[in-house]
Structures are given as C-alpha cells and as structure tokens.
Amino acid sequence: MSALNIKKGTTKHSAYNLRPNFSDVDERHTLAILVDNEAGVLARVIGLFSGRGYNIESLTVAEVDHTGHLSRITIVTTGTPQIIEQIKAQIGRIIPVHEVHDLTIEGPSVERELAMLKVVGSGDKRLEAMRMADIFRANVVDSTLNSFVFEINGAPDKIDAFVELMRPLGLVEIARTGVAAILRGE
Amino acid sequence: MKREMTGAQMVIQSLRDQGVDTVFGYPGGAVLPIYDEIFQQNDIRHILVRHEQGAVHAAEGYARSTGKPGVVLVTSGPGATNAVTGLTDALLDSIPIVVLTGQVPAFMIGTDAFQEADTIGITRPCTKHNWLVKETDLLSSVIHEAFHVATTGRPGPVLVDIPKDVQFANGLYTGPKPATSRYQPQLKGDIESITELVAAMETAKRPVFYTGGGVINSGPAASQLLRELVDATGFPITSTLMGLGSYPATGKNWLGMLGMHGLYEANLAMHGCDLMINIGARFDDRITGLISAFSPNSLKAHIDIDPSSINKVIRCDIPIVGDVAHVLEDILKIWKTRGRKTNGNAVTKWQSQISEWRKADCLGFSTSAKSIKPQFALERLQALTNDHDRYVTTEVGQHQMWAAQYLHFNDPNRFMTSGGLGTMGYGFPSSIGVQMAHPSSLVINIAGEASWLMNMQEMGTAIQYNLPVKQFILNNERLGMVRQWQELLHGERYSHTWSEALPDFVKLAEAFGAKGIRCHDPADLDDAIMEMINYDGPVIFDCLVEKHENCFPMIPSGKPHNEMLMGDAETQGVIDSKGSVMV
Ligand SMILES: Cc1cc2nc3c(=O)[nH]c(=O)nc-3n(C[C@H](O)[C@H](O)[C@H](O)COP(=O)(O)OP(=O)(O)OC[C@H]3O[C@@H](n4cnc5c(N)ncnc54)[C@H](O)[C@@H]3O)c2cc1C
Ligand SMILES: Cc1ncc(C[n+]2csc(CCOP(=O)(O)OP(=O)(O)O)c2C)c(N)n1
C-alpha cells in the first residue's frame, strides 16, 4: 500500500501551480505532506511556518508506512492563493519531504477530526448533554455520576458546533486531534 | 566496496572521494579524532583560520570562485555557533558549502555537556539541510548525501554534526552514489512554457534580460549560452550584484547593474520594458523597490530552478522551472528553428532610447586634486588591474556598491560579495579562500575600514599560508553606508557612524609581517596601486578617501525605479515616512 495514494501529475495542479490566480482573498487549504519519519522533520515543517509567518490552523502527523518510515502530515492553513502556492513550494524544498498535495485543489476530499469533551453537571443539564450527544452521534467513553467524556468525530465544523452546544451544559475540557484528510474516489 | 574504518577515517575518505583538496577549519575537543587523521595524510590541505566565521567565508570564496563546494571543519559548541553567520550568508547567496561540526558523544547529548550546543536546532533555519549522525555505519553515506544536496538544484550550505564517539567507533565505509539519492531537482524546463517565451521574444518591442546569481550557479556553460542568446537577439541585458560577470561588462548590450544602486539606464530599461526575461534572479527588494510600481507594463518570464522563487514577490506570467543552462539551450534551439525572429525595428528604437538614457552618465563624479574620491580609486584600480587574471571580493557598504559600479567583470566566478545577508567581515576571509583556489591570480578585497576590522584576525592566516591577498581599504573613517542613510533619512544625525580609534593600518600590516601602503594624494595613487600589485605577499592598502562621499545613483526605499537620485541630487527629505520603515 502506498502511503499517499495520489499519482503525480494526475491533475493539472498536483505539483506546483505556478500560474495561480492572484486574488487577494484569503483561502483555507488542506495540505497532505509525505515525509521521511526522521528526527526533526516536524521541526523543519513547523519552523518554516513560524519563520516565514504563515498560519497553521491545524496540524496532525503520524507514521503511515512503517516499513518505508514515512509519515503523513496534514496541515490546514490560510492565505491568499499566492501565499498558498509559496507555502507548498517552500515545503517542497525541505529535503526529507517526498510529496506535497493540496487536497483543496486536487479534491474533493474528506476531512475528519476526533475530539473528546469532558462535561460535568447533574440534573437537567446532564440529561440535555446526553440528548445532544445522541443527536451528534457522539459516544460516551467514560462516565461518573457527575460527568461524561464524549467522543465525537466528523468534519471540524461539526465538532465546533457540538463544542458550542456543550459549553452551557458544563463543558470543562476539550481534546482535539486536528484534521486528517484524504481525497475521495480512487 | 565496503571497508571497515573509524568514523574519523571515514570523514577523510569521504572528502577524498568527493575530490576535496582544501578544508578550512579550527580544531577543538569534539573534533580531535578527525584532526588526528588530518595529521596523518597529505591529500587534503587543512587551512587553519583564526575564527570559525572566517572559515565559512573562506569556504564561500573558494566555492564561488571555483564552482566546487567549499568545506569547513569546526568543533562543537562555540565552534559551531561561530559558523552560524557564514551559514546564513551562504544560504541567502546560494553558495554550496559543507560544514562538518564535532558534537559531544551521542550518549551525552542533552545533558548540557561541556561545549554542547543544539547545533542541528540552531542551524536548521540557516542550512539547506543538516544531519546529526549517531551511527558510524551511516556516516559516509550521510557525508556523500550532504555534498550531493549542497551542490544539486539551488546550491546552499549543509551541515553534518558528528558526535565524538561516532568518530572513534568502527563502521563500514560506503563510497559516493549520487544517482541513488532521492533528491533530484528538475533541470529541463517545460517546453510549452519555453515556446511561449520564445514567441514573446519574437514580438517584444522593449525586451530586457534581467540576470542573476543563478546563471553563475548553473556553471560556465550557462554564461556561454547567455552570451550567445544576448548577442544573437541584440536585447539589452542587466544583472544583479550576484550575477556580475556572467555577461561581460565589455559586451555591447550591457546596461550595467540594476537595483537600488544600479545604473540609471538599467533601471529605466527595467521600468519601461514590455518583456522582462528573468534568468536566475530572485526579485530581491534591492531590485524591485516599490512592488506596486515595479515594471508596470511588462510581461514577465522567470527562469529559476527553485519553484519557491517564482511568484514569491513579483507575479510572473511565464514561469519556467529548470536549470539556466538547460533552459537557455532549449530557448536557443527553439528560437533558431522558428527562424531567429525579433521585432527588429522596434528593438532598434528601444536600443536608441537606452542610448539616450546612457547620456545621463549616472556614474559621473567630480574628481578632486586634494583628496581621493572612492570612485576615482576604483576607476584607477580597474584601469591598472584590467589585464590581470583578477578575482575581486568585497566587504559590505558603499565601497561594495562602488566596486560593483566601477570595476568591470568579464567572466563569471570573478566577483565574490555578500549580497543577500550583507555580512560585514565577509570579504577578507573570502579573499583567502579565493587565493587558496587560485594561487597565482591577483586577488583583491575591496573593503571599508569598518567591515575589514570585523575579521582582521585572518591576517594571521594570510601570513601563515603565504597568501598574497590585497586588502584595498577605502578608508573614509565612517560607517559610510549607514552614514549615508542617516544623512538622507534621519536629518543628518550621525548616530554612532564614526570609525573612532582606528588602528594605523600600515603598522598593523607590519605587525603581522605583511606590507602596509598608505595613500591620500590622488597624484600618488597609480604608483601606490602598482606597488601593491607588484608586491609578492599580502598587502593592506590604506586608501584615505573623501569622507562624506555618497553612493549614487540610489533608488530610495519605497520608491519606484523611475524615481532615482543622481549624484548632484537634492537629498534631504526625499524618503517619506513610509519608505523609511524599509531597510
Ligand atoms: C549594501 C547592499 C546593497 C545592495 N544593492 C544592490 C543593488 O543595488 N543591486 C543589486 O542587484 N543587488 C544589490 N544588493 C544585493 C541584493 O541584496 C541581493 O543579494 C541580490 O540582488 C540578489 O541577486 P539575485 O537576484 O541574482 O539572486 P541570488 O541570491 O544570486 O539567487 C539566485 C537565484 O537563482 C536561482 N538559481 C540558483 N541556481 C540556479 C540554476 N542552476 N538554474 C536556475 N536558477 C538558479 C535561485 O533559486 C535564486 O532564485 C545589495 C546588497 C547589499 C549588501
Ligand atoms: C555584520 C554587520 N553589521 C552591521 C551591518 C550594517 N552596515 C551595513 S554597511 C555598514 C557600514 C560599513 O562601513 P565600512 O565597512 O567602513 O564601509 P563604507 O560603507 O564606509 O564603504 C554597516 C554598519 C552589516 N551590514 N553587517
């Protein structure tokens, strides 16, 4: 199994888009980056973003190919089309980086994130929290007489909505994984 | 074939297999095993510098003047941190160097051991790539990969950090295998885009070539092809500071350098062109000035091996990712097969427009019988050294810009200067590296007194290795370039821009065992320069020049190309508050 099943050159945009549109409107892009899983590689990617003043909205990383020691980094970032192209080109220059893909352009893609929320309360609030969790298909992964830990996964905005609903119901702690994303279809 | 040897032996063997003849270095505890191996061989010459920053700049000079990578060996901790400025300099100027650092033993990393520094962490943002090698078996392949990465694609500095226990331990040596490296940047440009550029060249009315350091990085063939293309099309050509020499200053289409201190005709040609062909230059802010007013009516083509250079600052219409020599070859081939067409009449008109601009004589200056004008000093130096096999390095400041304006470079790899980082203290050690590579050539460092003092300890190196480098100091007793900005921007409040308490440079030369020459009278200048050239050994030439001369032309920061200050301009208040935030 290839760690990143995207054929090079399958779309017009798959390498670098050297003729981007030059709009000044910020866009949100999800990038999938395949890197050698070696010491310091994440520091190189993150250092690039901080050193050049780019945004990171979300970042996830895990080894996806244990024999080839390849990790997949998913970064959600924002910027004008020119900045987004610059970010991809800069990441592409990092020596342990194998491939950079812009899932937003190459898409459509599916984005998922997992979150765990600790909600403390009793009485009506507790019942309401349980009801909402049901509607959002969140699972209860831990409970005491006064608390729940809900596990929810879905697109980031679904999780945002669930978090907002839980706030008045006794939300005390949130852990989120950040976005993992993959292209739809073959 | 794999052979067993110690890590320290592997370092030497790898350098040998990479064809390295010279290493610039400074020893210390964490590299003792490697120094022990250096002692026991004669293939590789080690040059003992006097400061690790000097080692890196010397390696840069060696690299830029030969096209081969420069090699540096320093110890852990302070040895490594002293190399940081040089690494950053090489990164910004795309100079291939390989720096080997010693590190505390792997099992002590993280314990704040003696002379431990997080060298990999510190140098990550100032290298193209760096490696910490924790197993001797991996050492030789990492060093070979380091050479491959430093010299392939857009060149740059790399660093290999080698813990002392790895140097002592035995392991298996592997030779160089660059073809198996995953890092293989694209050299050929996209033919469709190249054809699009050729079509634009055929119809362009006001074309200009804007060339840069990438032509020199690409190698001598690139300069040859560039000359062929320029001469065949008749298009005017300008170059950045970093690209000087790739097209000869004697060539008839030569406009001179462009940019902040570039020539009037070059900047106006950039501003007014309808087709800009950028070959291996990176739209640096010294070139573009006010971005929104930069060459407003041109179609812009950009040839660069690094995709991140394209569209980074200036929006490009015809992007071509590839190596200069490869792309120029294809441009020539396609342009010839399509019938060598240019828009002849329009281009001739454009050339005569440029001739009009030339008449402004933007480098003209008034000479003086009483004091040496720095421009005059360089004009004389140019005249008296033109026929020599000459290499020039510079420090940073006004003298650097005057060197770019008044010295003529007719071949690539002849002009070594710190462009991107602007590192004062670069020129002297760099001249040492150049002289090492070209022992019988005339090597001159054009210096300001303030810059020169920043790495003056390298006099010891020049003397020890008998390197006849000429230190041509344009001594204005000022931090001249900064003083100029204070004059133009800060109401002539000259805050700390005097070079106070200067040494007697002649005595200083003599104290090191070199020759010192001082000159303050324009009438003596030619003789003094000849004395410098003819002396077989290092010389410090203290050229006392006019103290308040400003460097013109100048495009003030935040201004477009067509708003240039010329020599006799009214200079007060020309930079508005918006421009003054820029450097
Ligand atoms: C005080 C001071 C004043 C200055 N004033 C000026 C000035 O007036 N005018 C001026 O020009 N500069 C000036 N500079 C220098 C300036 O800061 C920049 O260093 C310089 O303009 C950059 O030159 P370049 O664009 O040729 O790029 P370089 O830094 O030489 O970069 C080379 C480009 O070519 C690409 N490249 C590398 N190898 C290849 C290859 N094989 N094939 C294709 N592409 C390749 C690289 O990716 C890069 O984009 C000044 C510097 C100082 C310190
Ligand atoms: C290491 C470093 N520190 C500070 C500067 C800022 N700076 C640029 S030019 C300059 C003055 C250089 O003076 P000098 O070497 O005498 O040259 P001149 O401009 O007088 O020709 C200074 C301080 C720099 N470029 N590098």
Side-chain angles (χ1 to χ4, degrees):
Chain A
M1 182 207 72
S2 155
L4 194 64
N5 189 22
I6 304 173
K7 281 185 230 102
K8 272 200 170 159
T10 45
T11 74
K12 251 186 100 153
H13 300 292
S14 60
Y16 304 105
N17 181 11
L18 292 168
R19 300 177 192 226
N21 77 69
F22 288 121
S23 132
D24 286 324
V25 180
D26 278 358
E27 297 176 353
R28 176 181 180 277
H29 283 239
T30 304
L31 310 179
I33 307 157
L34 198 64
V35 299
D36 287 323
N37 182 14
E38 61 182 34
V41 64
L42 192 57
R44 290 182 205 281
V45 174
I46 293 172
L48 174 76
F49 277 76
S50 63
R52 293 187 184 263
Y54 305 140
N55 301 316
I56 299 184
E57 283 201 352
S58 153
L59 180 145
T60 62
V61 54
E63 189 170 90
V64 288
D65 175 352
H66 296 307
T67 43
H69 301 293
L70 295 174
S71 289
R72 177 165 170 144
I73 300 175
T74 309
I75 293 185
V76 181
T77 183
T78 53
T80 62
Q82 198 177 354
I83 295 281
I84 299 286
E85 287 310 315
Q86 184 61 205
I87 290 174
K88 288 185 272 179
Q90 292 289 352
I91 296 172
R93 296 212 297 171
I94 298 175
I95 304 291
V97 167
H98 288 231
E99 288 171 40
V100 183
H101 289 273
D102 186 336
L103 302 185
T104 305
I105 290 181
E106 293 172 41
S109 64
V110 201
E111 292 190 3
R112 287 292 178 270
E113 186 178 359
L114 184 142
M116 290 189 280
L117 289 80
K118 185 174 287 179
V119 178
V120 177
S122 55
D124 283 353
K125 284 193 174 171
R126 186 170 160 84
L127 285 176
E128 182 63 6
M130 196 57 207
R131 212 171 62 81
M132 284 298 161
D134 234 26
I135 294 173
F136 275 77
R137 293 203 202 104
N139 299 321
V140 175
V141 291
D142 178 69
S143 71
T144 67
L145 289 176
N146 291 318
S147 71
F148 288 121
V149 173
F150 295 118
E151 174 209 82
I152 178 172
N153 63 56
D157 40 354
K158 171 182 166 188
I159 293 175
D160 287 343
F162 186 62
V163 168
E164 285 319 306
L165 283 171
M166 286 297 126
R167 256 185 229 293
L169 301 178
L171 179 66
V172 294
E173 199 178 336
I174 313 170
R176 295 175 73 149
T177 57
V179 173
I182 201 159
L183 284 182
R184 289 180 188 272
E186 290 178 41
Chain B
M1 201 190 68
K2 298 202 170 194
R3 276 185 286 155
E4 184 159 332
M5 59 178 85
T6 68
Q9 287 166 337
M10 275 184 198
V11 170
I12 303 302
Q13 190 55 44
S14 309
L15 297 183
R16 242 185 234 127
D17 286 352
Q18 288 292 338
V20 173
D21 52 22
T22 310
V23 172
F24 301 92
Y26 207 87
V31 282
L32 276 172
I34 301 174
Y35 271 86
D36 204 30
E37 291 303 326
I38 288 180
F39 189 83
Q40 300 176 51
Q41 56 84 48
N42 289 313
D43 302 337
I44 294 161
R45 196 154 178 217
H46 177 274
I47 303 302
L48 179 70
V49 294
R50 299 302 189 263
H51 185 295
E52 289 86 351
Q53 185 187 352
V56 185
H57 294 324
E60 288 185 272
Y62 179 96
R64 189 64 162 188
S65 67
T66 58
K68 296 195 289 183
V71 182
V72 173
L73 173 62
V74 297
T75 193
S76 67
T81 55
N82 273 349
V84 165
T85 300
L87 286 167
T88 312
D89 192 89
L91 184 71
L92 279 182
D93 284 346
S94 302
I95 310 291
I97 55 169
V98 178
V99 176
L100 308 175
T101 51
Q103 182 53 279
V104 302
F107 57 86
M108 289 177 80
I109 289 177
T111 64
D112 295 328
F114 178 63
Q115 296 197 323
E116 177 178 0
D118 176 9
T119 302
I120 293 298
I122 291 170
T123 62
R124 200 178 283 130
C126 60
T127 51
K128 185 174 173 186
H129 195 60
N130 60 15
W131 295 260
L132 170 64
V133 184
K134 287 183 170 171
E135 285 169 56
T136 307
D137 275 339
L138 299 177
L139 181 57
S140 52
S141 55
V142 167
I143 295 176
H144 294 309
E145 174 73 1
F147 274 87
H148 173 71
V149 169
T151 54
T152 309
R154 179 179 188 165
V158 298
L159 181 142
V160 183
D161 200 23
I162 314 172
K164 195 170 181 181
D165 54 339
V166 172
Q167 301 169 30
F168 272 123
N170 276 310
L172 287 179
Y173 179 82
T174 15
K177 279 185 277 183
T180 62
S181 170
R182 199 178 51 75
Y183 181 68
Q184 308 288 354
Q186 168 187 340
L187 298 176
K188 293 278 277 183
D190 170 45
I191 291 296
E192 235 173 82
S193 304
I194 292 176
T195 310
E196 195 182 341
L197 168 58
V198 169
M201 288 167 59
E202 290 167 348
T203 54
K205 297 192 176 95
R206 300 183 308 279
V208 68
F209 287 111
Y210 151 45
T211 60
V215 183
I216 294 178
N217 288 138
S218 178
S223 293
Q224 276 315 316
L225 291 161
L226 178 68
R227 287 159 194 228
E228 189 184 340
L229 183 64
V230 172
D231 295 344
T233 57
F235 294 175
I237 172 171
T238 179
S239 165
T240 66
L241 182 71
M242 298 308 292
L244 293 177
S246 46
Y247 184 81
T250 50
K252 84 172 182 351
N253 298 310
W254 178 237
L255 294 170
M257 182 176 80
L258 81 162
M260 180 176 269
H261 293 289
L263 273 67
Y264 183 72
E265 48 270 37
N267 285 330
L268 287 193
M270 287 287 280
H271 191 79
C273 65
D274 69 347
L275 174 65
M276 176 185 297
I277 308 165
N278 174 337
I279 309 180
R282 57 182 173 83
F283 292 111
D284 183 86
D285 53 62
R286 300 299 88 164
I287 303 305
T288 56
L290 183 64
I291 301 262
S292 57
F294 175 71
S295 192
N297 302 312
S298 58
L299 190 75
K300 297 177 184 73
H302 189 176
I303 301 165
D304 203 296
I305 202 160
D306 179 353
S308 83
S309 285
I310 292 173
N311 288 321
K312 182 165 61 181
V313 249
I314 294 293
R315 298 172 175 189
C316 160
D317 304 293
I318 309 178
I320 302 173
V321 175
D323 166 62
V324 168
H326 285 78
V327 174
L328 286 183
E329 206 180 342
D330 284 337
I331 291 178
L332 273 162
K333 211 182 296 163
I334 293 170
W335 181 72
K336 285 177 186 166
T337 15
R338 287 170 54 120
R340 300 169 159 267
K341 284 182 291 231
T342 58
N343 190 342
N345 288 341
V347 174
T348 311
K349 228 174 106 197
W350 175 230
Q351 285 160 340
S352 52
Q353 165 69 71
I354 288 170
S355 306
E356 282 305 307
W357 289 329
R358 273 210 179 95
K359 287 184 190 151
D361 185 23
C362 67
L363 294 184
F365 60 93
S366 51
T367 43
S368 151
K370 279 195 269 86
S371 66
I372 300 178
K373 291 279 182 126
Q375 302 94 321
F376 177 70
L378 289 170
E379 231 174 47
R380 294 316 304 153
L381 187 73
Q382 167 61 26
L384 297 169
T385 60
N386 193 35
D387 298 336
H388 283 73
D389 169 21
R390 182 191 74 180
Y391 291 83
V392 173
T393 67
T394 79
E395 303 287 349
V396 168
Q398 292 178 314
H399 61 276
Q400 176 188 26
M401 292 298 109
W402 283 317
Q405 293 171 339
Y406 292 92
L407 300 182
H408 298 166
F409 300 98
N410 294 322
D411 292 296
N413 306 95
R414 294 278 171 164
F415 183 54
M416 279 45 68
T417 193
S418 171
L421 195 63
T423 311
M424 293 170 70
Y426 165 87
F428 182 16
S430 176
S431 72
I432 286 178
V434 175
Q435 190 83 72
M436 275 306 301
H438 309 278
S440 52
S441 304
L442 175 63
V443 180
I444 308 173
N445 174 33
I446 310 297
E449 77 294 337
S451 293
W452 193 82
L453 289 174
M454 283 212 177
N455 270 322
M456 59 162 272
Q457 75 286 345
E458 300 305 331
M459 274 312 285
T461 314
I463 295 290
Q464 178 179 348
Y465 297 96
N466 227 334
L467 301 169
V469 287
K470 314 300 182 206
Q471 303 304 310
F472 195 72
I473 302 178
L474 295 173
N475 185 352
N476 54 9
E477 299 172 19
R478 303 286 182 279
L479 310 185
M481 184 59 95
V482 182
R483 191 206 61 77
Q484 175 168 346
W485 281 56
Q486 289 173 336
E487 181 181 324
L488 301 182
L489 273 158
H490 295 276
E492 300 181 69
R493 290 180 295 280
Y494 297 121
S495 182
H496 299 270
T497 46
W498 260 265
S499 287
E500 301 259 9
L502 284 173
D504 177 330
F505 283 105
V506 173
K507 281 192 189 151
L508 184 69
E510 287 162 5
F512 274 103
K515 183 177 183 62
I517 299 174
R518 179 170 298 119
C519 186
H520 58 84
D521 186 342
D524 299 337
L525 187 60
D526 276 22
D527 287 346
I529 290 175
M530 287 315 294
E531 189 185 352
M532 172 182 89
I533 297 171
N534 291 330
Y535 182 73
D536 184 17
V539 175
I540 302 180
F541 191 116
D542 185 15
C543 190
L544 297 170
V545 295
E546 177 71 42
K547 298 187 202 310
H548 294 127
E549 196 68 14
N550 281 332
C551 182
F552 291 117
M554 175 176 184
I555 303 176
S557 17
K559 296 278 183 183
H561 273 178
N562 56 350
E563 292 184 36
M564 232 169 303
L565 300 180
M566 302 290 266
D568 43 12
E570 173 58 61
T571 49
Q572 277 301 304
V574 288
I575 303 178
D576 54 26
S577 51
K578 211 162 126 234
S580 63
V581 299
M582 302 178 72
V583 287

